[in-house]
Amino acid sequence: MPLQSRYHQRLIDSFSSPASPFHPSKLSPPDVESEALLNGKEDGHSNGHSRKRRKIETDNSSPSPLKIEKVEEYPAAVLVVLEAFELIHNELEDLATLAQDLKLSWVLKSCREDDASMESEGSIEEFGRAVDSAQSMMDSQLRYLSSRAAWSSALVQSPEVQEYVFAIHKLDESALRTCRKQLVDIRNIYFYLLEEISPKQADKS
């Protein structure tokens, strides 16, 4: 197994370990007070759930949904998911950059050598699909944040509705499962990219 794939496999396995910061057991059910803080309400107070102060600074060079301009007190579950998102987002940026570079390299090589073979065109298309896959996975983080914001706001407005608590907790659990699945996808895409470039590199030697 290539070194990069072994690294991703270790990350995948870590999600199943109770000692991992991304294990589902680290997700506590939401409470109204912490969700009020997340929604910018000044009268929210902690009821004992573990929370941390985290400064997330703006960085216009990255489209990551984690880059926001304020120091905020997040519910514990949100911290867990955001940490996992940050890890996944960095991996996806690396993957997208590599796939884009490979695509450009193959396009330039085809132009220089006047090589318009179906094999070359297929490789270029696959590199493009890898870039699209990485972008789609990054977009899923924004969809989670949008959905959670809607449920969180609903809970703050109607704290007596326990279905909102259940929905938010299940959404957080789903976000961690999605992160693990995305790591599997990232590992598999790296496998495929290696399969695509290895025969070509061997042909050049």
Side-chain angles (χ1 to χ4, degrees):
M1 182 182 291
L3 182 61
Q4 190 74 17
S5 297
R6 289 200 297 269
Y7 163 70
H8 287 122
Q9 188 60 52
R10 286 196 299 271
L11 289 179
I12 293 165
D13 294 341
S14 74
F15 273 69
S16 301
S17 169
S20 168
F22 308 128
H23 192 267
S25 63
K26 301 299 190 295
L27 297 175
S28 58
D31 63 273
V32 177
E33 288 81 2
S34 58
E35 295 299 325
L37 286 172
L38 191 62
N39 279 270
K41 306 295 185 183
E42 296 298 329
D43 55 349
H45 299 286
S46 171
N47 66 349
H49 283 283
S50 174
R51 289 181 286 125
K52 302 176 183 177
R53 294 189 65 84
R54 171 183 172 85
K55 185 176 181 181
I56 306 180
E57 299 178 349
T58 300
D59 180 0
N60 294 327
S61 65
S62 170
S64 171
L66 310 179
K67 310 299 183 187
I68 56 179
E69 279 187 43
K70 57 183 170 181
V71 174
E72 187 63 273
E73 285 192 345
Y74 292 114
V78 175
L79 278 175
V80 173
V81 174
L82 286 183
E83 291 289 350
F85 275 9
E86 192 168 24
L87 168 68
I88 300 297
H89 185 88
N90 291 337
E91 293 297 326
L92 288 171
E93 281 193 325
D94 290 344
L95 174 60
T97 299
L98 173 62
Q100 188 63 53
D101 289 347
L102 287 172
K103 179 181 178 181
L104 178 59
S105 175
W106 249 248
V107 169
L108 294 176
K109 178 178 179 294
S110 298
C111 292
R112 286 195 305 267
E113 301 179 2
D114 195 21
D115 177 15
S117 66
M118 291 184 62
E119 182 181 7
S120 179
E121 290 180 359
S123 295
I124 292 171
E125 289 177 0
E126 290 301 329
F127 296 147
R129 276 193 279 270
V131 175
D132 293 341
S133 295
Q135 186 59 57
S136 177
M137 285 187 272
M138 283 189 275
D139 290 344
S140 72
Q141 296 184 353
L142 293 175
R143 290 193 292 272
Y144 159 81
L145 293 173
S146 177
S147 296
R148 197 187 193 287
W151 284 113
S152 177
S153 179
L155 176 61
V156 173
Q157 294 297 322
S158 304
E160 72 283 357
V161 182
Q162 288 302 302
E163 284 80 0
Y164 293 154
V165 174
F166 179 79
I168 293 172
H169 190 53
K170 288 301 178 184
L171 192 64
D172 293 338
E173 289 181 340
S174 177
L176 284 188
R177 286 195 299 271
T178 298
C179 285
R180 186 182 185 281
K181 179 183 180 300
Q182 288 179 343
L183 278 173
V184 173
D185 292 339
I186 291 169
R187 180 201 61 190
N188 292 344
I189 292 173
Y190 271 111
F191 262 130
Y192 183 81
L193 293 180
L194 182 62
E195 287 291 320
E196 279 294 301
I197 65 177
S198 293
K200 282 76 175 179
Q201 295 298 334
D203 291 343
K204 291 180 183 178
S205 59

